[in-house]
Amino acid sequence: MVTSLLALALLATAGLWASLLATLLYFRPGARDESGEILPMTLIKPVRGLDDSLAGNLDSIAVSDPEGRLQVIVAMETDDDPAYPVARKFAESYPGRDISVLLTGPSGARMGKIHNMIEAFPRARHPFVVFSDADVTTTPDLLRETSRAFREGWDAAFALPIHQAVGGLGGWQYQVAFNHYFALGAALVMRLAGLRHCAGAWMAYTRQVLEKAGGLERHGAAIADDFALSRGVARAGGRLKLIRAVAPLRESDPDPVDAFRHLCKWAAIIRCAFPAAFFLVPLAAPGVVAAAAVAFAGGSSASWAVLGAALVSRPLIAFIQDRAVFGAPMAWWGYPLMAVCDWGMMLYWLAGLRSTILWRGKRYRLISGGNIEVLK
C-alpha cells in the first residue's frame, strides 16, 4: 500500500513537470503566427448579466480587427439585461462595421449560454464561427492563430482560458484553478492523446463540421456546451486544434467567498459532464497522495522526501509557467500557498458531488451524462 502510494505520488509529481515542459514548448515565444491574415469569421458573444469588464472586452474585438473582417453578434435574451445598453453602445461606436445585438428571447429549458449560441448561429454569414465568452478579451493573436488553424485545414480551434492577475484571495483562487490546474496539462494531453474535450472561453468551428456533428440544438440541455460540442465534433471525425494563443479572461468579482462558490459550481459541472476525469482528480494530486503515504508509512524518510518533492514542485512550476509562458503572475504570497493547493482543491472536489447548482439566477438539476433540468 505504502509503496503504491509513493509511486503514485512520484508519478503525479513527474506528470506536473512533464506538463510544464510541454506547455513551455508549445506556447514558447515565436511559435505564434505574428503576421498571418485574419480570415472573415463570425464571432458570437453570448451574454447574460453585466460583467465589470464587458465594455472593454467588446471594444477589444474591434481593436483586434482593424480591417473589419469579423461579423460580430452579441446575443442576449432580453433588453432588460443590464448588459444591453453596453452592447448597444458598442455596436453604435463602430458605424460601418458588421456588428449587431441580437435579442434571443427566454432560454426556457435550455442552458442560457447555448440558447444564445443556438439563436445567433443561423445569422452567421461566414463559414468559420467563433464563440467567445463575455469575460474574454479578444486579442490579435487569438484572431490570427484561429485563422491559421482554419487555413491549415482544422475543423475546430480552441484557446486555453488564462485568468488575468486581479489581486486578492478570490483572484488567486481563479488563477490557480484556470492557470495551474486546467491549463497546465492541456499541451501534454494534446500531444499524448489528441484533443477531444475543449474549453468554451474561445472555441471556433467550421459551419460544415458543426452540421456534420448534428448542430447546436441537440446540445441545448448540456451543462457544459464546450465539452458536448467538442466531443460531438471529435466523434464526427472533425480535427480539433489547440491554438498557440491564449484567451485572457477575468471574472467580474474576485471576492473570495464568491470565487469559492463559483469554483464549487464548476466542480459539480465537471463531475456531471466528465465523471471519469472528476473521480481521478484526487489520485493526480501529488500533495494529497504523498500525505497519505506519510500517514500509512508512519513518517518514514522516503515518504517525507516524496511529500517534500510535491510541496516544492507546485510553487516552482507555477512560478516558471507564469513568468515564461502566460504572463499572468500571481501576487508574491500566492506562490508559497501553491504548496498546499492540492488539499484546498479537495474542498472543491467534495462540493462537486452535489446534484443541483444555481447559475445566473436559475437553478438546475444535474443529470448523469452531462445534461440539466431547469428547476422552478
Side-chain angles (χ1 to χ4, degrees), residues 121 207-220 229 232-233 235-236:
F121 182 68
R207 294 181 64 97
Q208 183 178 13
V209 80
L210 283 178
E211 291 165 0
K212 184 179 179 182
L216 300 181
E217 182 66 53
R218 65 194 298 251
H219 303 298
L229 282 172
V233 166
R235 287 178 173 175

Side-chain angles (χ1 to χ4, degrees), residues 180-228:
H180 302 297
Y181 273 89
F182 181 81
L184 177 60
L188 182 63
V189 170
M190 182 191 67
R191 288 188 179 278
L192 295 180
L195 203 62
R196 294 183 63 85
H197 308 115
C198 307
W202 181 275
M203 55 182 180
Y205 304 89
T206 66
R207 294 181 64 97
Q208 183 178 13
V209 80
L210 283 178
E211 291 165 0
K212 184 179 179 182
L216 300 181
E217 182 66 53
R218 65 194 298 251
H219 303 298
I223 185 61
D225 55 87
D226 47 4
F227 175 84

Side-chain angles (χ1 to χ4, degrees), residues 33 36-39 144 146-154:
D33 185 359
E37 182 179 302
I38 297 173
L39 294 175
R144 284 194 294 263
T146 303
S147 298
R148 177 183 181 179
F150 288 134
R151 281 197 303 270
E152 292 176 350
W154 296 88

Side-chain angles (χ1 to χ4, degrees), residues 102-188:
L102 174 67
L103 300 179
T104 61
S107 58
R110 294 170 175 166
M111 282 293 297
K113 177 186 170 183
I114 198 165
H115 164 73
N116 288 329
M117 292 163 55
I118 289 169
E119 296 300 322
F121 182 68
R123 293 165 173 79
R125 299 191 180 99
H126 299 299
F128 310 115
V129 182
V130 180
F131 300 101
S132 172
D133 284 352
D135 56 5
V136 169
T137 300
T138 302
T139 67
D141 279 345
L142 275 173
L143 295 178
R144 284 194 294 263
E145 286 296 310
T146 303
S147 298
R148 177 183 181 179
F150 288 134
R151 281 197 303 270
E152 292 176 350
W154 296 88
D155 300 299
F158 303 85
L160 280 183
I162 298 299
H163 201 283
Q164 301 304 289
V166 294
L169 187 58
W172 177 80
Q173 291 179 73
Y174 284 127
Q175 284 186 275
V176 171
F178 279 93
N179 305 356
H180 302 297
Y181 273 89
F182 181 81
L184 177 60
L188 182 63

